[in-house]
Amino acid sequence: MPVITYVNPLSELATAQSSLSQYQQEDTFAEQLVQLAIYGYGDPAVARHILAVTRANIGNQRQREEFWINMIKEEKQSMKKAWDLVKDS
């Protein structure tokens, strides 16, 4: 018999929010690297690349967070419809 797994949207949302927080911290660090590169410390191309990567990751995590928020809303509506059917019968 196949195993059916359930993905908990609340858990996935929490993971996405945690990752978003982590990437925001990395973005702050990348901005500091860019500032140091402006003053002549470090490689400016690498600093800009790291900043671009962290900004892209932030965007991806925001999309992931929005996806799971929508999934939670849909699941809530589905449960409400199911509850209404149970109450009506």
Side-chain angles (χ1 to χ4, degrees):
M1 181 172 230
V3 177
I4 299 174
T5 59
Y6 174 73
V7 177
N8 185 349
L10 290 174
S11 173
E12 293 296 325
L13 176 61
T15 302
Q17 290 173 335
S18 173
S19 296
L20 179 60
S21 176
Q22 176 186 353
Y23 285 126
Q24 287 172 336
Q25 291 172 0
E26 289 178 10
D27 183 61
T28 301
F29 178 71
E31 287 175 354
Q32 291 171 352
L33 288 178
V34 170
Q35 289 175 356
L36 286 172
I38 290 171
Y39 293 123
Y41 301 103
D43 188 353
V46 171
R48 284 192 308 270
H49 176 72
I50 292 172
L51 183 62
V53 168
T54 57
R55 297 261 166 101
N57 285 337
I58 287 173
N60 291 338
Q61 289 304 316
R62 285 191 177 145
Q63 287 177 343
R64 186 173 172 216
E65 180 183 36
E66 186 65 30
F67 172 79
W68 286 112
I69 287 172
N70 290 335
M71 292 303 294
I72 290 169
K73 287 178 185 177
E74 289 176 17
E75 188 171 280
K76 184 177 177 183
Q77 290 172 352
S78 172
M79 292 299 288
K80 184 175 187 245
K81 288 178 185 177
W83 181 249
D84 288 342
L85 287 173
V86 168
K87 285 193 316 185
D88 290 342
S89 52

